Amino acid sequence: MLRAELLKIRSLPTPRNTTLIVLATILIASVVVLIVSPEQGNDAYFRLPEAASHITVTIGAMVLGAWMIGLEFASKTIRLVATVQPNRLRFVFIKLVAAKLLVIAFAVLCLSFAFAAAALLSSIGSTTFDGGQVFKQMLGTLVIALLWGIFAFGLTLLLRSYTGGIVGTLVLALGLDPILQIIPSVGKYSFGSASESISNWISGDPTSLGIWIAVLASLAWVLAINALGCLRFVARDLK
């Protein structure tokens, strides 16, 4: 069944279109830097492609994580798929594995493109390019993208809606999570804060949580939402 899921990834347009949109955004950001032409040595030559990749890759991962399971609900093929694989937990597990592979491949491709663009622009702008540090920053982005992609998968499974999963994840990431982070002593354990702490630890930036606490907090969020999604999926009739 995993082979069938990988075939869907290759043949259906959403993964390809999402990747192309993210690559195009990074390219546009790079072109903007060239058009603006900051003074020689300005960090903007590599900071802008890096920032563009951080934002777009994370959002793209949410879309693809939700799509991997939401596709079956949106196309109303969930009953047919469940007939082929009647063990619902195994079905979800295979979908989740495929989602992880998809998000990792997507993020690696887009971040590699952003890294190359940042290196090229740094050369054009005579800017010192710390490849090791930029690599660490992008590795942190990869981890954040993977965590948010898995979270979007679980929320879509819980809501049984592709659109609901994407919208819900974006609302949490852009609205609720920042609000939670304002609350003293509690906000640092929010999903966004914990995942950002892992990313910052990888890049060497200051963190609001110790690395192991951040890992445990992030995994707790991911496991909780996916466990709730699985429970509802197993217990409810498929429509």
Side-chain angles (χ1 to χ4, degrees):
M1 186 175 173
L2 180 59
R3 182 179 297 178
E5 297 302 326
L6 296 178
L7 182 60
K8 287 181 184 178
I9 293 172
R10 290 177 55 190
S11 59
L12 295 178
T14 298
R16 180 172 60 255
N17 291 342
T18 302
T19 303
L20 290 175
I21 290 171
V22 171
L23 291 175
T25 303
I26 296 170
L27 179 60
I28 292 171
S30 302
V31 172
V32 168
V33 174
L34 292 176
I35 294 174
V36 174
S37 296
E39 62 182 15
Q40 295 290 291
N42 194 309
D43 287 354
Y45 279 99
F46 68 86
R47 292 294 183 190
L48 196 55
E50 180 186 334
S53 67
H54 178 79
I55 296 170
T56 56
V57 168
T58 302
I59 293 176
M62 296 175 186
V63 171
L64 295 178
W67 174 83
M68 197 68 237
I69 186 68
L71 169 68
E72 309 299 344
F73 295 112
S75 59
K76 302 188 184 302
T77 57
I78 191 68
R79 279 188 173 181
L80 177 61
V81 175
T83 301
V84 176
Q85 176 49 260
N87 187 325
R88 294 192 188 182
L89 287 179
R90 179 175 172 77
F91 165 76
V92 173
F93 176 76
I94 292 173
K95 281 282 190 179
L96 183 57
V97 170
K100 290 178 182 178
L101 294 175
L102 172 58
V103 169
I104 291 173
F106 156 78
V108 168
L109 175 61
C110 294
L111 292 172
S112 296
F113 179 77
F115 185 91
L120 177 60
L121 290 176
S122 295
S123 176
I124 294 173
S126 301
T127 303
T128 300
F129 181 69
D130 188 347
Q133 182 59 31
V134 174
F135 176 80
K136 290 179 182 178
Q137 295 279 1
M138 292 189 175
L139 184 60
T141 298
L142 171 62
V143 172
I144 289 178
L146 180 59
L147 288 171
W148 275 108
I150 298 173
F151 185 91
F153 178 96
L155 185 58
T156 302
L157 183 63
L158 176 63
L159 298 178
R160 301 168 71 121
S161 168
Y162 178 29
T163 303
I166 294 176
V167 173
T169 303
L170 288 173
V171 168
L172 175 65
L174 302 178
L176 295 179
D177 199 277
I179 293 174
L180 287 175
Q181 292 184 34
I182 298 175
I183 304 174
S185 72
V186 175
K188 61 184 178 181
Y189 298 104
S190 71
F191 185 58
S193 179
S195 60
E196 193 70 33
S197 290
I198 298 174
S199 176
N200 288 349
W201 180 83
I202 294 172
S203 63
D205 295 325
T207 63
S208 59
L209 289 174
I211 181 58
W212 292 115
I213 296 178
V215 169
L216 289 175
S218 297
L219 290 179
W221 279 95
V222 168
L223 290 174
I225 196 68
N226 278 274
L228 288 173
C230 283
L231 286 174
R232 187 183 183 200
F233 184 70
V234 169
R236 296 285 296 274
D237 290 336
L238 299 179
K239 296 181 180 180

